[in-house]
Amino acid sequence: MSILLLTPGEDMIDLASLPSDPGCYLFKNADGVIIYIGKAKNLKKRVSSYFQKTDHGAKTELMISEAVSLDFIITASEVEALILENTLIKKHQPRYNIDLKDAKSYAFIIISDDTFPRIGIARYQGGKKGGTLYGPFVSAAERDQILSFIKQTFHLRTCRKMTKRACLRSHLGTCSSPCQGIISEPEYQYQVRSADLLLKGKNQDLIAELRETMNNHAQSEQYEQALIIRDQIAAIERLSERQYVQRQKQANEHIINYQTVAGTVYLILFTIERGTMTNKEEFVFSETEEFLEEFIIQYYATVKPPNELILPVLPDDTIKDYLSDIRGTQVIITVPKQGAKKHLMDLVTRNIEASFFAGKMRLIELGEALSLPAPPEVIECFDISHLSGTGTVGSMVSFRDGKPDKKNYRRFKIKTVEGIDDFAAIGEVVNRRYSRLIAEQKNLPDLIIIDGGPGQIHAAAEVLKRLGLSIPLISIAKREEEIYISGRRPPLSLSKKSPASLLVQEIRDEAHRFAITYQRQIRRKKALS
């Protein structure tokens, strides 16, 4: 799930399932109320920064202490995340957000629907603006550059009144002068259509022509002109990165997508209000033959259906009549194959993968790489820490379903080893851990990870053998991130960038962090005493 439980005051929270995608994150308090909304280029890095040992300021520290859970919504780009952040803050009014509550909507470029359309700037608030909107533009500089480029290239008017004086004062000769009657309506409409294509991102031919002109300027040593055209090309290319989080639309939409795994349905619903994404809901339930129809019937028994329902597959014909009857007007059901709606459907899919399957997919791959009979549900990892052979301690962290299970973390003061002997120290902590589990008749893990190379894994394997245990055992060496399997000398042939290897690295890093934290605590206590 995308809901991550936090533990205020501890060194580390469960970040394992947070994706590295751009998006928005929502901190919630114990009552489930959203108290802060932020956007990030990389969700995992941004959220992690809140829990590092740095001074965030009194207000942020108070927010962190109050937060007990976290939700996130993945977007296609950082710009989309910024737009979504603005929308969500206005909708939920979190107590710790102040910057965007009273902010206006981001600016659009507008081409009016007059006989001789004008081009200008508008702020879309959900109502009709009397023309076609393009954007939104988070950067005012980028918007103005594109607007200036279009005026200079296609000579569209910007004056609000079509008079000769207004035209001369506003354009100073840069427009096509429809006000003066020197261009026909068909000719002007052709220029409007050209600007429309550019603003919609259908601009490859134009870009090719500009590149040729830029190169000609550079060869003629007209570098200033070449740089101007280079900036124009960059601005035009950014236009093709269409923003799907916010679109000009009067109707409301719901977008539903799902995945089914082992008889369970994982479903996410996005709410789009007047073209703007405002909410995400997650559902998990048992799969039946007609689960989609059953979900729609139950969900919309208490929620007003939207104008349009966007689905991955068409439901039974009666569903459309059912929704239309509840709403009181016709409900459109769409299965998109391309375009903006397909893009949003893909975003829902990405959110499903990040919310429900990020850890599970890595576990499945790790199980296959190690030839295990099933993905390892419980993994325990050991590490040793000391300072030049003094204050040696051991740590054990437990991961369940690919996520930290902190209530089962354990720390060990090394009792039988003197000096620097990591092999013997590993043997001691492994023996103490599993001798106790055997004595207490508790469940054993599905996989054991040792921080180290062949020497450390051999020491752990000898202990397990004496205890009569046959738990799968691997180790990971820091320098090359090589993974060794007990009883097999060559390291596992696995890319260190693969999901399985990254999961092992993540677990090892957490064991290392836990060991170092404990070792520092002991040193601090000794120094104070």
Side-chain angles (χ1 to χ4, degrees):
M1 298 291 289
S2 65
I3 302 298
L4 304 173
L5 296 181
L6 315 181
T7 307
E10 291 198 3
D11 294 328
M12 184 263 186
I13 65 167
D14 176 11
L15 299 173
S17 61
L18 266 178
S20 299
D21 302 85
C24 288
Y25 54 94
L26 300 84
F27 282 107
K28 299 179 181 180
N29 63 15
D31 298 322
V33 176
I34 297 172
I35 59 174
Y36 183 78
I37 297 171
K39 64 93 181 174
K41 182 178 181 180
N42 184 311
L43 285 166
K44 178 175 286 188
K45 286 185 178 179
R46 182 68 186 98
V47 175
S48 299
S49 69
Y50 284 97
F51 300 90
Q52 294 172 351
K53 298 289 186 179
T54 56
D55 183 13
H56 298 287
K59 184 176 180 180
T60 302
E61 294 290 349
L62 185 62
M63 183 275 292
I64 294 173
S65 67
E66 187 177 337
V68 299
S69 64
L70 175 77
D71 198 2
F72 64 85
I73 301 175
I74 293 173
T75 60
S77 67
E78 186 179 10
V79 176
E80 288 191 7
L82 205 160
I83 296 167
L84 178 59
E85 177 194 34
N86 182 29
T87 301
L88 293 175
I89 288 174
K90 289 179 178 178
K91 178 180 176 66
H92 298 288
Q93 297 285 297
R95 61 178 297 189
Y96 290 102
N97 284 98
I98 58 171
D99 294 338
L100 297 177
K101 284 183 180 178
D102 300 320
K104 297 179 180 178
S105 294
Y106 294 111
F108 290 73
I109 290 176
I110 185 171
I111 295 182
S112 69
D113 51 11
D114 303 314
T115 303
F116 288 90
R118 61 177 290 272
I119 190 169
I121 296 172
R123 291 190 180 273
Y124 178 60
Q125 300 286 353
K128 183 175 177 57
K129 278 292 181 182
T132 303
L133 298 178
Y134 307 88
F137 295 92
V138 177
S139 167
E142 179 183 325
R143 176 205 63 206
D144 293 342
Q145 185 180 47
I146 293 171
L147 185 61
S148 175
F149 172 79
I150 290 173
K151 288 193 294 184
Q152 293 175 13
T153 304
F154 303 112
H155 308 298
L156 302 187
R157 72 182 184 91
T158 59
C159 53
R160 295 185 178 274
K161 294 183 179 180
M162 281 187 55
T163 65
K164 183 175 181 179
R165 177 178 296 179
C167 180
L168 290 173
R169 183 172 61 248
S170 177
H171 308 293
L172 299 175
T174 62
C175 78
S176 300
S177 299
C179 320
Q180 303 177 53
I182 61 175
I183 185 171
S184 67
E185 182 182 342
E187 290 174 322
Y188 190 83
Q189 287 292 345
Y190 174 80
Q191 293 176 330
V192 171
R193 286 195 299 272
S194 299
D196 175 73
L197 289 175
L198 172 63
L199 286 165
K200 287 180 176 177
K202 301 177 181 179
N203 45 34
Q204 293 305 310
D205 293 340
L206 179 58
I207 289 177
E209 181 180 332
L210 285 172
R211 288 193 187 280
E212 183 178 354
T213 304
M214 180 183 68
N215 292 333
N216 291 337
H217 281 312
Q219 291 175 4
S220 301
E221 298 184 357
Q222 297 174 309
Y223 300 118
E224 185 175 349
Q225 291 88 337
L227 288 174
I228 292 173
I229 296 177
R230 183 202 64 181
D231 293 341
Q232 292 172 345
I233 292 172
I236 294 169
E237 288 177 333
R238 283 192 290 271
L239 276 177
S240 60
E241 297 180 3
R242 301 289 303 278
Q243 305 307 321
Y244 295 97
V245 170
Q246 183 168 355
R247 298 175 293 129
Q248 182 186 8
K249 192 174 181 68
Q250 301 303 311
N252 294 333
E253 303 162 321
H254 284 178
I255 302 175
I256 296 175
N257 208 346
Y258 58 83
Q259 288 190 24
T260 59
V261 177
T264 300
V265 179
Y266 301 87
L267 183 148
I268 286 182
L269 185 152
F270 275 5
T271 299
I272 311 293
E273 297 179 0
R274 296 186 178 274
T276 300
M277 185 193 304
T278 60
N279 194 31
K280 178 192 76 168
E281 296 177 82
E282 300 176 350
F283 303 89
V284 180
F285 50 89
S286 298
E287 182 181 9
T288 62
E289 186 175 352
E290 298 180 343
F291 70 84
L292 181 58
E293 287 82 358
E294 291 178 11
F295 171 81
I296 292 172
I297 291 171
Q298 292 186 35
Y299 181 82
Y300 292 108
T302 57
V303 176
K304 183 179 179 180
N307 303 89
E308 183 175 3
L309 181 60
I310 301 171
L311 300 171
V313 295
L314 279 175
D316 187 87
D317 292 340
T318 58
I319 292 296
K320 181 177 179 181
D321 297 333
Y322 166 77
L323 296 175
S324 299
D325 182 66
I326 295 175
R327 181 175 173 82
T329 59
Q330 184 180 13
V331 174
I332 300 171
I333 296 181
T334 305
V335 178
K337 301 300 181 183
Q338 59 184 4
K341 295 174 184 177
K342 179 61 166 62
H343 178 88
L344 283 168
M345 184 69 73
D346 293 341
L347 270 184
V348 179
T349 300
R350 181 67 191 93
N351 277 268
I352 291 172
E353 292 172 350
S355 297
F356 298 115
F357 300 115
K360 291 185 178 180
M361 292 299 104
R362 295 192 297 176
L363 286 173
I364 291 172
E365 182 176 312
L366 179 59
E368 292 176 348
L370 300 178
S371 300
L372 301 179
E377 179 181 344
V378 177
I379 301 174
E380 294 184 349
C381 181
F382 295 85
D383 188 28
I384 299 298
S385 178
H386 56 78
L387 181 64
S388 300
T390 62
T392 304
V393 298
S395 72
M396 189 223 75
V397 299
S398 177
F399 273 56
R400 182 177 293 274
D401 292 328
K403 300 177 182 180
D405 181 15
K406 291 187 286 185
K407 67 179 183 296
N408 282 317
Y409 282 18
R410 296 293 183 269
R411 301 184 296 192
F412 304 88
K413 284 186 178 180
I414 301 301
K415 301 176 179 179
T416 62
V417 180
E418 297 291 339
I420 301 176
D421 192 342
D422 287 355
F423 302 161
I426 281 288
E428 177 183 328
V429 296
V430 169
N431 181 68
R432 288 166 59 183
R433 170 63 176 170
Y434 297 115
S435 294
R436 181 164 186 170
L437 290 185
I438 292 172
E440 295 177 353
Q441 297 183 341
K442 291 185 176 180
N443 293 332
L444 298 167
D446 302 305
L447 176 67
I448 298 172
I449 301 175
I450 304 297
D451 182 11
Q456 283 86 349
I457 195 174
H458 177 73
E462 287 296 314
V463 171
L464 295 179
K465 184 179 179 180
R466 288 199 304 270
L467 295 174
L469 300 177
S470 58
I471 304 171
L473 175 67
I474 65 173
S475 70
I476 177 169
K478 288 188 179 70
R479 179 172 298 178
E480 299 297 333
E481 306 295 4
E482 292 178 327
I483 296 176
Y484 292 88
I485 301 177
S486 179
R488 178 174 144 182
R489 181 64 183 178
L492 186 65
S493 178
L494 188 66
S495 169
K496 63 182 179 181
K497 297 296 184 181
S498 68
S501 179
L502 290 174
L503 175 60
V504 175
Q505 294 172 41
E506 182 178 308
I507 296 172
R508 184 273 317 279
D509 291 344
E510 172 61 358
H512 186 62
R513 181 204 66 81
F514 195 51
I516 288 178
T517 300
Y518 184 39
Q519 211 270 339
R520 287 173 178 170
Q521 289 176 1
I522 291 176
R523 291 208 316 265
R524 193 178 301 117
K525 288 180 180 179
K526 287 184 177 180
L528 291 174
S529 64

